[in-house]
Structures are given as structure tokens and as C-alpha cells.
Amino acid sequence: MEENSTTKQGLAKKYNFTEADFDQIKALGISLDKIEGELLLFQLGIPKITLDKPATINDGIVKLSNEEFQKKADFFDSIKDTLKLKKFVPASGAASRMFKFLNEFLNDFDHENETINAYINRKKDKNLPIFLAGIEKFPFYDAIKSKVKEHTPEYYSLESHEKSFLFIKTMLSPDYFDFPNKPKGVLDFHKYETEITTPAEEHLNECAFYASSNSVSHLHFTVSEYHEDLFRSIINSIKQKVETKSNTLVHVNYSHQDKSTDTIAVNLNNEPLRNEDGRLVFRPGGHGALINNLNNLNADVIFIKNIDNVIQNHIQEITLYKKGLAGILLDLQQQIFDILKSVENNNITENKIPKIIDFMEEKLNIDILDDFDKYTVDNKIAFIKNKLNRPIRVCGMVKNEGEPGGGPFWVRSYKGNVSLQIVESSQVETTNKEQAVILAKATHFNPVDLVCAIKNYKGIKFDLSEFVDSSTGFIVTKNRNGQELKGYELPGLWNGAMAKWITVFVEVPLITFNPVKTVNDLLKPAHQPQHGN
């Protein structure tokens, strides 16, 4: 309490915090030490990560044949009914980026004096022609066209570019469909013969294929409080149909990003930012805040996948690789648990240690200290226990084909040891030529395809907050109502928030990765109906 009082005095003196500020901070459930730490980070900056080398096949990334994947999937199937499985889908993001080029079009198109073709030529816009050429293939085409006709009596006499303009305007307008302000998870993504589905529905459908045991599945969405009812109404409307078709009971839960993970914003002079009412400005802490939501789950195996990575076709292939990753996880976990139980029962003799160390280095990518051989037997065993008694993640990695996103790297800590990490380009000092070269040599990238185990060898949940590398957050520059600000984002969920987990990377085929970053991605084969669908 005394420390809190000292922190309070320091903040009041240095940043002119008032009692009203302290009341605001308390209401959010944020500790003063956290505020002080963030303000210090803005002043000192966050050190960039030091890349050692990219993770590649046989040097940080495991490559399996289809037969080997099938064996791992069969192993998973053979024991899954003894386990509680859960699928965790971060789904709070708005769809604004999906429609960015269309918003720019509406803002910049001179409707009175130019045609859409003239706009495309003037702006050298490559996205709009693709959108217009495929417009009838979008799953929401009929609904939007119907609404345009309803509000445009002269519709049939309009030229085609006028109809296209009204279509885009109606799709984006807050008075009608308002797509950019809705979460991706509730937008129409896929058109089947008898129905149109959203990503939320597709995730529900996927659960039955690879995330169910004893005909029961658990699906968890993280959503914004504002949109939870929207998700609930969509899920409730189709849940029974999916359950009947798959003969699987699916329990669906929701959670929100905890307000206590919000972070303080500052101006460009690193002074706390205030809004028009004089109140401090806080921002959501980014997806790294979701480690708290993950920490609150109770499951033996958790599949993590982004909301927009769903597929209309090839579900059986996706299932094979998801189950395969889970089989790899459970196989490694069994071996780890056997070692930890032997440690607890004092069954580890000196002659068994080299084999355990080989397993840790070769299968779990754990860096063994150079002077390990000089340790006493007791210290060697303590080291083994410390390194193995951790949460485990097996992450699918796809070949790098120019998609944006983080990648798998060997990272060197300030102490000199290396570990496998998923690194975002913003974490790297790209002005350093050596680091930029390593970054550019990445052969794979992170599609967010994780299978996680969060319980220890006694079946007790780990406290995941103990395995976060808090030095790997991000300082971002944003614009708020025309004012530049700096914000702090917590270590990313699959980046620094899992930095101290046991980490294994496995190559998975590109077919498992079908994100929808822009609306035009819905025109790709993975999101279009095939004959017979």
C-alpha cells in the first residue's frame, strides 16, 4: 500500500495527476504501477528484438509428410475423448480495413463530373476494377442490390456505373448495411445453394470436424461488448442446425477485452493525453490483452485461429492438419510429462540427463546453456524442470508468398540465449542492415494456426501471465481527432505474450490459410462455391 502511495505521489508531481485522474484509473481497474511503467516506456522507448536467423525447415520448422500428419491426427483421435477441447477465436476487430479502398473511392470520387473509369485511371486504383468485375459473385450482392432498387425508383434507367456507385454507397452507409463498422465475424462471407454464412457460423461448423470430444465442442469468441448481441443472435439462429447436422453439441461462450488491460496514451512529448473534458485518454492494449481471456479458459487443448481465416471448401483437408498439429502437441506433452513426473519422483539419474537434453534441444528447440555440463546434477535437474514445466504451443507455419504478417525466427535475448519466436516486422530494427537481411530471408510466415496446452503435468492450469515477455510490446503512433498521439500495445498474443512457452513450428500447406484482409479476397476460390456445394 505504501508503494502505491509513493507511486501516486510521483505521478501527481511529475504528470500533474489529480484525484479525478486517480478515480478514473481506479474505475478501470488499472494499477498505478502499470501506468507509471507505461509512461516510462514512452520516455525510454522499447528495445527492438534481435533476430539471430530465420526459422527454416529442419532448423526450427518441422516438415511432415501427409502420412506422418495422418499418423499424428490418428493419435489425436485415439485420445481426444479423454480431453476437453476448446476453440478460441479473437473476433472483436471491425471490418474497416476490408473496405478501405471503397471508402477512399466514396470520399474522393467526383460523382458529378467523372465516371468510375475516369476515377480508376486518375487514382491508378487496382482494387476497384476487381471489385466491380466480380460484384455479382459477392455473397451479399443480392441483398444490397435489392436495397438499392427499393430506394431508387429510377434504378432500371440508370447506367451501370451509376448502379455500381449506389451499390457501394449503400453497402458502406451507416443508414443501411454499414459493413466497415461491423465486426468481420458477422458479415456474409460464403454463399451456398440454400444459405449464406458468416465467419462466426463457419467457425461453429468447423468445431465439429476437429475440436470436439465425446460429441461435445466448446467455442469461445472474444468480442467487443457493443457487438456481443449481434454474434449471439447469429449463433443462436443456426446453432441447432449445425448441432443436428454434425451430431455434436457446441457450447459457445464470449468474453471481452478486459478494461484493466487498456493502456495510457501520450502526446508526442510523452505527456499524458487528455480529451476535451480533461480526462485521461486510454486505448485498448491490442490482441496481447487476450492472454487474460485465454488464461480464464479451462481446457486441455485449445485451437487458436483468426476470425477471418475460414474456408468454403476443403474442410476435410483443413481437419487433417488441425488434428495433426494437435497430435504433435499431445505426443510431445506426454514425453514432457513423463520426464517431469520422473523428476518429482526422484527417478532422474545422471546417466538419463543427456537423453533428456537431446530431446529438449532437438524436439522442443530449447537452448541449452554453454556451461550446462559444469552444473551439479541437482542444478541440471532443476534446469530441466524449469524449462519443461511450461505451457506448450504447436504453431502451423505456411510458406512465405508475400503475405503480410509475422514470421518464425530464432531470437537472441540480451542474455545471449536463443529461442523460437513469432516476430512482427515492427519489432525489428530495419534500419540495421544485418537485421533487415535476416528479416527478408524468412521462408515462412505466421497464419495464426496454433494448438495450445495450458495445464501442467498434474492437470493444474498454468498462470499464463508468468510466461509473457513484457519487454516486447509496441509503441504506435496514431491520429485521434486530428491530433497525433503515441499509444502502447501489449506484447502480441502469439508474440511476446507467449514468448516463454515451449514452442514448436510445423509447416502446413497454404490451403489452410484463407484470410479475408480486403473484400476482394472473397472472390478467391477458397471463398467461392464449387460445383456440388
Side-chain angles (χ1 to χ4, degrees):
M1 196 68 201
E2 189 181 330
E3 182 191 11
N4 205 35
S5 170
T6 309
T7 307
K8 188 173 178 179
Q9 289 170 8
L11 289 169
K13 187 175 180 182
K14 190 169 183 181
Y15 299 104
N16 299 316
F17 276 24
T18 64
E19 281 304 321
D21 294 335
F22 292 121
D23 288 344
Q24 182 188 353
I25 292 164
K26 187 177 179 183
L28 289 168
I30 300 174
S31 76
L32 295 182
D33 287 340
K34 179 174 175 288
I35 300 279
E36 187 177 47
E38 287 166 10
L39 290 169
L40 196 60
L41 280 175
F42 285 121
Q43 289 170 21
L44 301 177
I46 295 175
K48 296 289 188 179
I49 267 176
T50 303
L51 301 179
D52 190 64
K53 58 185 174 179
T56 54
I57 299 295
N58 299 326
D59 187 14
I61 301 177
V62 178
K63 185 177 176 69
L64 299 180
S65 66
N66 273 1
E67 291 75 21
E68 288 169 316
F69 257 113
Q70 189 62 60
K71 278 184 187 172
K72 296 297 183 187
D74 291 344
F75 174 63
F76 168 72
D77 278 335
S78 72
I79 60 171
K80 70 177 183 180
D81 284 348
T82 65
L83 304 168
K84 182 177 178 182
L85 311 178
K86 185 159 280 203
K87 189 172 169 190
F88 180 83
V89 182
S92 57
S96 47
R97 278 190 215 163
M98 264 181 76
F99 302 96
K100 186 168 179 272
F101 73 89
L102 294 173
N103 257 322
E104 287 170 357
F105 163 69
L106 285 188
N107 290 333
D108 204 22
F109 178 53
D110 185 353
H111 182 231
E112 302 298 321
N113 297 308
E114 69 179 340
T115 63
I116 291 180
N117 273 344
Y119 168 87
I120 289 168
N121 293 329
R122 174 167 66 85
K123 299 290 287 188
K124 297 183 173 57
D125 190 322
K126 292 175 183 174
N127 295 307
L128 190 54
I130 295 169
F131 177 84
L132 295 173
I135 197 165
E136 293 183 11
K137 292 181 178 178
F138 288 109
F140 42 73
Y141 172 74
D142 289 340
I144 294 171
K145 182 182 175 183
S146 177
K147 182 64 71 176
V148 172
K149 284 161 71 174
E150 184 186 321
H151 289 272
T152 315
E154 71 281 17
Y155 179 82
Y156 288 105
S157 62
L158 293 176
E159 292 188 34
S160 65
H161 72 93
E162 283 284 348
K163 291 176 182 173
S164 298
F165 172 71
L166 288 173
F167 184 96
I168 294 168
K169 194 174 177 184
T170 304
M171 181 171 74
L172 304 190
S173 167
D175 296 329
Y176 297 111
F177 289 85
D178 199 22
F179 280 177
N181 292 313
K182 287 182 176 170
K184 278 186 187 179
V186 303
L187 298 182
D188 291 340
F189 264 35
H190 296 154
K191 185 174 185 176
Y192 295 91
E193 275 185 17
T194 58
E195 62 184 343
I196 291 172
T197 61
T198 64
E201 293 172 67
E202 295 289 14
H203 279 288
L204 191 73
N205 187 45
E206 274 188 24
C207 276
F209 282 90
Y210 61 78
S212 65
S213 56
N214 298 301
S215 298
V216 176
S217 187
H218 299 265
L219 173 59
H220 188 99
F221 290 109
T222 63
V223 299
S224 72
E225 288 177 70
Y226 182 71
H227 291 127
E228 183 178 333
D229 287 345
L230 203 49
F231 274 89
R232 282 186 182 277
S233 65
I234 285 172
I235 293 295
N236 291 344
S237 69
I238 53 100
K239 187 168 173 289
Q240 191 173 0
K241 184 181 72 179
V242 171
E243 289 178 333
T244 303
K245 186 180 173 184
S246 63
N247 197 27
T248 303
L249 182 66
V250 188
H251 297 286
V252 184
N253 322 80
Y254 306 85
S255 64
H256 313 130
Q257 204 162 301
D258 191 340
K259 282 287 180 193
S260 68
T261 62
D262 284 4
T263 60
I264 195 163
V266 297
N267 61 23
L268 299 186
N269 296 320
N270 299 321
E271 298 157 342
L273 197 68
R274 295 180 182 276
N275 65 16
E276 301 72 27
D277 304 331
R279 288 168 63 80
L280 295 167
V281 173
F282 288 89
R283 300 178 67 254
H287 61 69
L290 299 180
I291 197 71
N292 286 15
N293 304 60
L294 198 61
N295 210 13
N296 290 330
L297 300 185
N298 182 21
D300 298 298
V301 174
I302 300 174
F303 296 87
I304 302 180
K305 199 176 174 196
N306 270 343
I307 186 67
D308 65 339
N309 184 15
V310 287
I311 194 166
Q312 177 149 358
N313 317 300
H314 306 294
I315 186 69
Q316 298 295 351
E317 280 181 75
I318 305 294
T319 298
L320 167 66
Y321 295 107
K322 284 285 184 294
K323 286 183 174 184
L325 294 177
I328 293 165
L329 175 87
L330 292 168
D331 181 24
L332 291 172
Q333 186 188 56
Q334 280 189 3
Q335 296 176 71
I336 291 166
F337 284 4
D338 287 346
I339 294 167
L340 291 170
K341 285 170 185 170
S342 293
V343 168
E344 187 171 62
N345 296 328
N346 297 314
N347 287 338
I348 302 283
T349 51
E350 189 167 6
N351 63 329
K352 290 179 181 175
I353 290 176
K355 190 177 177 185
I356 293 170
I357 292 300
D358 284 348
F359 167 69
M360 290 167 67
E361 282 188 305
E362 291 171 21
K363 300 295 184 185
L364 305 178
N365 310 295
I366 292 170
D367 191 31
I368 308 301
L369 303 173
D370 289 339
D371 57 353
F372 180 78
D373 288 339
K374 297 174 185 171
Y375 281 24
T376 64
V377 172
D378 284 350
N379 282 344
K380 284 178 179 178
I381 291 170
F383 174 86
I384 288 167
K385 182 174 182 181
N386 173 267
K387 292 294 184 182
L388 292 186
N389 195 26
R390 297 173 182 234
I392 312 166
R393 59 175 177 162
V394 174
C395 314
M397 291 290 157
V398 296
K399 281 183 184 171
N400 197 341
E401 298 205 351
E403 292 279 353
F409 290 89
W410 292 96
V411 169
R412 189 167 292 280
S413 76
Y414 71 93
K415 290 181 180 175
N417 56 308
V418 294
S419 62
L420 275 185
Q421 301 292 341
I422 297 170
V423 179
E424 307 300 320
S425 56
S426 58
Q427 293 178 274
V428 181
E429 189 63 80
T430 50
T431 54
N432 177 318
K433 193 175 177 184
E434 187 184 322
Q435 289 290 290
V437 167
I438 297 172
L439 185 68
K441 282 184 177 173
T443 57
H444 291 70
F445 74 96
N446 165 42
V448 187
D449 189 0
L450 290 80
V451 189
C452 305
I454 60 169
K455 290 182 180 177
N456 68 15
Y457 65 103
K458 294 180 177 179
I460 299 166
K461 277 170 54 182
F462 287 106
D463 177 359
L464 302 183
S465 65
E466 293 176 6
F467 302 92
V468 175
D469 181 353
S470 55
S471 71
T472 57
F474 309 82
I475 291 175
V476 294
T477 305
K478 300 281 183 181
N479 191 296
R480 180 179 179 272
N481 303 331
Q483 183 180 18
E484 290 281 298
L485 66 82
K486 283 159 70 174
Y488 171 66
E489 293 194 357
L490 300 167
L493 180 59
W494 35 83
N495 313 112
M498 297 182 177
K500 298 176 185 177
W501 291 37
I502 292 171
T503 296
V504 175
F505 295 150
V506 180
E507 185 179 86
V508 291
L510 206 53
I511 195 170
T512 62
F513 183 59
N514 303 285
V516 178
K517 300 305 177 193
T518 89
V519 66
N520 286 351
D521 287 335
L522 290 174
L523 299 173
K524 291 179 178 178
H527 300 289
Q528 285 292 313
Q530 287 188 331
H531 296 299
N533 264 12

